[in-house]
Amino acid sequence: MYLTRFRVNTARQGARRLLSTPQAMHAAVLSSFPGLLPTNEQTPRVLWRLDHNATAEVLLYVVSPHRPDLTHLVEQAGWPAAAASGTPGWQTYAYTPFLERLDKGSVWNFRLTANPVHYVRTKDDQATTKRTAHLTPKHQLQWLLQRQDTGGFRILAKAQDKHLTEHGDEHQAIVRDQRSLDFGKRGANGRVTLTTVTYDGRLEVTEPDALRRVLTAGMGKAKAYGCGLMTLAPLG
């Protein structure tokens, strides 16, 4: 497995085009792997995420089973002149050694962009349900907490005197950067609408194998559109 980081040059028109719709970015990411066929149902999962750290600092992260070639992204949305002088424009790291070193009880900072959804009845007298986005931070955080056990991690609790509200705010996690996306789906009628949020916080590893699956296969829905990728970073 590989973890790749690419900084998007937001001043370029090609970058703005890619950032305008997850469909375009998804296609660009898959184009980084010559051996992958998008129509093949057996294609290994490629996860990606955009971190909007500032107006001029947007980072693309990709987790993949193969080493990518992002030359086309550098030409379209990077710094081609710098790449021509010897700087490739992206960094790719072997991810498997890090994954294998994850130990039970270790504590990490984490970031996750996800599409937290639940199912509601379309009518009170029918059994049919509809997938609906969670829209409040309280329910969005609850969505993540409900996946701790199967995900092999535990969101750390805050000390009592650090709670910001009388009832709630018990965990070392924040929900931010909510985005409502609406875009056309290539090759199909209709539109895709989804809500994404980013979680930042601290977790403890409870089941390393389960967490490895989350880190490499993703969490939740809309993985093709930049959701589901969790990354870890050392404390401090």
Side-chain angles (χ1 to χ4, degrees), residues 93-132:
Y93 309 94
Y95 203 27
T96 302
F98 168 78
L99 295 172
E100 292 177 344
R101 290 197 301 269
L102 285 177
D103 293 324
K104 183 175 181 178
S106 59
V107 177
W108 302 85
N109 291 319
F110 76 89
R111 175 169 290 177
L112 165 71
T113 293
N115 170 225
V117 297
H118 65 298
Y119 292 86
V120 297
R121 293 183 183 276
T122 55
K123 293 183 179 180
D124 291 339
D125 59 346
Q126 292 187 2
T128 56
T129 59
K130 178 182 179 181
R131 193 164 71 194
T132 305

Side-chain angles (χ1 to χ4, degrees), residues 125-157:
D125 59 346
Q126 292 187 2
T128 56
T129 59
K130 178 182 179 181
R131 193 164 71 194
T132 305
H134 285 300
L135 297 178
T136 66
K138 175 182 177 181
H139 291 104
Q140 290 162 347
L141 180 58
Q142 189 63 34
W143 176 90
L144 178 61
L145 295 174
Q146 290 170 349
R147 284 153 179 78
Q148 293 181 107
D149 291 342
T150 57
F153 63 91
R154 178 180 65 86
I155 307 298
L156 295 187

Side-chain angles (χ1 to χ4, degrees), residues 16 47 55 69 85 99 123 131 139 159 164:
R16 293 194 292 270
L47 300 173
T55 302
D69 181 353
S85 66
L99 295 172
K123 293 183 179 180
R131 193 164 71 194
H139 291 104
L164 298 179

Side-chain angles (χ1 to χ4, degrees), residues 5 27 31 37 43 45 73 82 90 94 99 101 111 118 137 148-149 171-172 181 187 189 195-196 205 207 213 220 235:
R5 181 179 63 187
S31 296
L37 299 176
T43 296
R45 170 66 64 184
L73 276 176
W90 71 91
L99 295 172
R101 290 197 301 269
R111 175 169 290 177
H118 65 298
Q148 293 181 107
D149 291 342
H171 298 89
Q172 295 187 40
L181 306 178
N189 296 326
T195 298
T196 69
V205 181
E207 294 291 343
R213 286 192 293 271
L235 300 184

Side-chain angles (χ1 to χ4, degrees), residues 4-7 28-29 31-33 60 62 67-76 88-92:
T4 299
R5 181 179 63 187
F6 172 82
R7 184 181 175 191
V29 169
S31 296
S32 305
F33 305 93
L60 169 67
V62 180
R67 181 181 291 272
D69 181 353
L70 272 59
T71 303
H72 64 297
L73 276 176
V74 173
E75 295 170 348
Q76 183 177 359
W90 71 91
Q91 299 83 41
T92 296

